Amino acid sequence: MADVPLMAGKSVLVTGGTGGIGKATAIGLAALGARVGITGRDRARTEAAAAAIRAAPGNPAVDAFAADMSAQAEPRRLAARVLDTYPRLDALVNNVGGFWAHRQVTADGLEHTFAVNHLAPFLLTNLLLDRLMASAPARIVTVSSGAQARGRIDFDDLQGERNYSGQRAYSQSKLANVMFAYELARRLEGTGVTVAVCHPGVVRTGFGAGDQAAYFAVMRRPARLFMKAPAQGASTPVYLASSREVEGIAGRYYASRNPTTSCKASYDTTAAARLWQASAGLASLTATA
Ligand SMILES: NC(=O)c1ccc[n+]([C@@H]2O[C@H](COP(=O)([O-])OP(=O)(O)OC[C@H]3O[C@@H](n4cnc5c(N)ncnc54)[C@H](OP(=O)(O)O)[C@@H]3O)[C@@H](O)[C@H]2O)c1
C-alpha cells in the first residue's frame, strides 16, 4: 500500500504565498498532501500563484485569498473567509514581511513595518486561534529573521515617530515576531497548539524589491549569487509545519531546521507580556487568547 502523504487531510494557511519563501512553503506543504491557502495583496497575482502551485503534480487543493496585511480591516476579512473555507485549520504559517527604508503610515495611522511584520500576524493569529485549537494538534509557525538579534523593542517609540530607520524598524519587528511566538506558546500550553518561529536563511526572493533604497540596490545584485534558493528558504517553515520530529514542541526558535537560541531580549517574559498588551491595543483586539 502506498504511504499516506504526511499532510493528507490537513488544511494550512500560508500568508504571502505569491512569491519567495511563502510560495515555496506552500509548494512544499501541498506536495506533502495538504490543502493550502495562500494570501497576497493583489487578487490576480494571488490567483496566478495558486494556479502555478496547483499545476504541480499532486497539488490540486490550493486556495487564493487576496488581503493587504497593512490595513487591519484586511486580516480581519481574511480571517473570516478562512474560517468559512476551512472547517479545520491544522497549521498557520505567518510569512508576510518586508523591509521599508523610509517611514510610511498605514490606513490605520500606524508605522508600516511594525504593522505588516508584527501587528498583522499578531491579529490574524488571534482571530484564527479558536479554529486552530478546535483542530488540535495544530501548529503556528512564524517566519522571523536573524535580524531579530539586532532588534530592540522601543516601547516609547514603537511607531518610529521620533526616530525611524528601516533597519531598526525591521529588526524590531522581527524581534517582536520571536517574542510574540514565545508568549503565545506560553499562553497555549496544554491546548495542543504549538508555536514555532524561525530564521529562513538569506534567500534569493523579492525581499526589499518594493523599496528603492540604495542599500538594497547595492546589496542585492552581487549578494544574490550566494543566497539560498526559495525552496531552501522554505525548508525550515515546511519542516516546522509538518514534521513529526517537532510534534508537541513549542516556543522554540529554529534555523536550518535546528532549534537554536534567539537573542537575550527575546526571552524577557515581562517585555513579551507588555508587547502583547501594546499589540492588542494597537490591533483593537478585545478578546485575546
Ligand atoms: N529573503 C530573505 O533573505 C529573508 C531573510 C530572513 C527573513 N525573511 C523573512 O521571510 C519572509 C518572506 O520574505 P521573502 O524573502 O519571501 O519576501 P518576498 O519575496 O518579498 O515575499 C513577500 C510575500 O509577502 C507578500 N506581502 C508583502 N507585503 C504584503 C502586504 N502588505 N500584505 C499582504 N502581503 C504582502 C508578498 O505578496 P504580494 O507582493 O503579492 O502582495 C509576497 O507573497 C518575511 O517575513 C521576511 O522578513 C526573509
Side-chain angles (χ1 to χ4, degrees), residues 16 18 21 41 45 67-69 95 144 170 174 201 203 205-206:
T18 59
I21 296 162
R41 277 168 293 190
R45 202 161 56 222
D68 181 340
M69 302 297 228
N95 163 76
S144 175
Y170 182 70
K174 292 290 141 180
V203 188
T205 66

